[in-house]
Amino acid sequence: MHNYIYELLQAPVPEEEWTKAWEYHEHPDAFPISDIVEDAKDRSAVITRFGAWLKENRLGELDGESFTIDAQVVDCYFEGRFAVFQQAVTALQQLNESQFIHNHDQVQGLIFDLTEIFTQKHGDYVLWNDGLEPTPLEEFLRKAKPGVRYCIGAVLDYKH
């Protein structure tokens, strides 16, 4: 399976300054869930798809290769998942000590489900701080500043 990493910048910069896929080959520990990181084959098409996703979810509007996030809509985007998150917490709380000790796979599965409901770790990512460690898109949405324009630089394809 594969997804994308969108490099987000405060202002447009020349392409030669964008993060390069080969940097992940030199630093595989920077993004350990990926098997391989490559430049997106059709960057424009991927950005267009991302813009359509933003619009479909009413999270923001793509303007060329930049966008802003609407904070109130972000609340609505996650609101429906809270009940599912609570169900996952309840499932963990119902474990007894024997299950905790002896049913490793079941407990690990419940923990995995809980963390994926909170923030999908096998979805799209963004690079928006210094360094090579990408941030899950959902974490970015929770932390993005409303009204700030985010410019898209590199678009990397990662396989996991």
Side-chain angles (χ1 to χ4, degrees):
M1 180 137 181
H2 72 94
N3 291 87
Y4 296 98
I5 304 168
Y6 300 91
E7 180 179 36
L8 303 182
L9 307 162
Q10 293 180 342
V13 298
E15 184 175 344
E16 56 269 8
E17 294 181 29
W18 295 349
T19 300
K20 307 292 186 251
W22 59 261
E23 294 178 76
Y24 288 96
H25 301 266
E26 291 184 356
H27 303 281
D29 57 325
F31 194 43
I33 70 163
S34 68
D35 292 330
I36 189 162
V37 176
E38 304 171 317
D39 292 325
K41 291 183 184 6
D42 189 347
R43 180 179 173 277
S44 294
V46 175
I47 291 173
T48 299
R49 179 187 71 97
F50 178 67
W53 179 84
L54 283 171
K55 188 173 186 172
E56 176 185 321
N57 289 286
R58 297 176 302 186
L59 291 165
E61 190 79 28
L62 186 67
D63 180 14
E65 294 186 350
S66 65
F67 64 95
T68 56
I69 295 294
D70 182 334
Q72 292 176 343
V73 176
V74 169
D75 291 351
C76 294
Y77 177 77
F78 288 106
E79 197 172 71
R81 292 203 350 221
F82 183 70
V84 177
F85 179 79
Q86 288 293 81
Q87 290 171 345
V89 169
T90 299
L92 275 167
Q93 288 175 324
Q94 292 177 353
L95 289 172
N96 61 41
E97 185 176 7
S98 178
Q99 290 171 310
F100 176 78
I101 294 169
H102 300 291
N103 295 355
H104 177 273
D105 293 345
Q106 176 193 9
V107 174
Q108 189 66 47
L110 291 171
I111 292 169
F112 177 83
D113 291 346
L114 178 69
T115 58
E116 279 294 302
I117 290 165
F118 181 67
T119 301
Q120 293 179 11
K121 299 291 186 192
H122 293 88
D124 288 344
Y125 279 73
V126 299
L127 279 173
W128 69 311
N129 294 318
D130 293 333
L132 286 174
E133 187 176 332
T135 301
L137 179 61
E138 292 180 348
E139 180 180 338
F140 165 75
L141 290 173
R142 286 181 166 104
K143 295 178 176 180
K145 303 268 189 245
V148 170
R149 182 150 302 279
Y150 296 97
C151 300
I152 300 173
V155 178
L156 305 173
D157 183 347
Y158 83 91
K159 292 172 180 53
H160 54 90

